[in-house]
């Protein structure tokens, strides 16, 4: 369950970032008909930023997937090794959330 949730959150984040990059590329295509030195300089800066963003996206994607997977595996291993402590911790957290929710 936790693996699916973490994976879905990562996929949503990556999809949103990729949509942003695609939208920016479309904006660049639409401004191609504009003339002037400032427009060309701006377009070059945007292209450079997009290139850097794509590189960062690819690097971050792998890192986030590895870290998320490691966290999920570590949590599942702990719960399997210490089931009663995990139940106690979950009950304590649930109790605290219940207290905080009833105070409001």
């Amino acid at each position: 369950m936790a693996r699916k949730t973490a994976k879905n959150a990562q996929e949503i984040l990556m999809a949103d970032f990729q949509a942003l990059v695609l939208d920016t590329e479309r904006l660049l295509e639409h401004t191609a008909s504009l003339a002037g030195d400032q427009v060309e300089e701006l377009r070059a800066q945007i292209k450079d930023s997009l290139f850097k963003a794509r590189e960062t996206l690819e690097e971050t994607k792998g890192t986030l997937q590895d870290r998320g997977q490691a966290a999920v595996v570590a949590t599942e291993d702990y719960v399997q090794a210490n089931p009663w402590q995990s139940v106690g911790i979950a009950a304590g957290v649930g109790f605290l959330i219940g207290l905080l929710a009833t105070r409001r």
Side-chain angles (χ1 to χ4, degrees), residues 28 42-54:
L28 280 175
L42 179 62
R43 292 185 78 233
Q45 289 175 353
I46 291 173
K47 282 183 181 180
D48 186 46
S49 295
L50 278 174
F51 180 74
K52 288 178 183 177
R54 282 183 181 242

Side-chain angles (χ1 to χ4, degrees), residues 52-87:
K52 288 178 183 177
R54 282 183 181 242
E55 285 180 345
T56 303
L57 177 65
E58 290 301 317
E59 291 172 7
T60 305
K61 179 181 178 181
T63 303
L64 284 176
Q65 286 177 341
D66 292 343
R67 286 184 182 179
Q69 185 67 23
V72 169
V73 168
T75 303
E76 287 181 350
D77 289 345
Y78 178 81
V79 170
Q80 289 177 1
N82 305 301
W84 289 110
Q85 286 179 344
S86 301
V87 169

Side-chain angles (χ1 to χ4, degrees), residues 14-16 31 43:
M14 298 302 289
D16 287 346
T31 60
R43 292 185 78 233

Side-chain angles (χ1 to χ4, degrees), residues 28 31-46:
L28 280 175
T31 60
S33 62
L34 299 176
D37 293 336
Q38 290 179 339
V39 173
E40 289 301 318
E41 183 179 328
L42 179 62
R43 292 185 78 233
Q45 289 175 353
I46 291 173

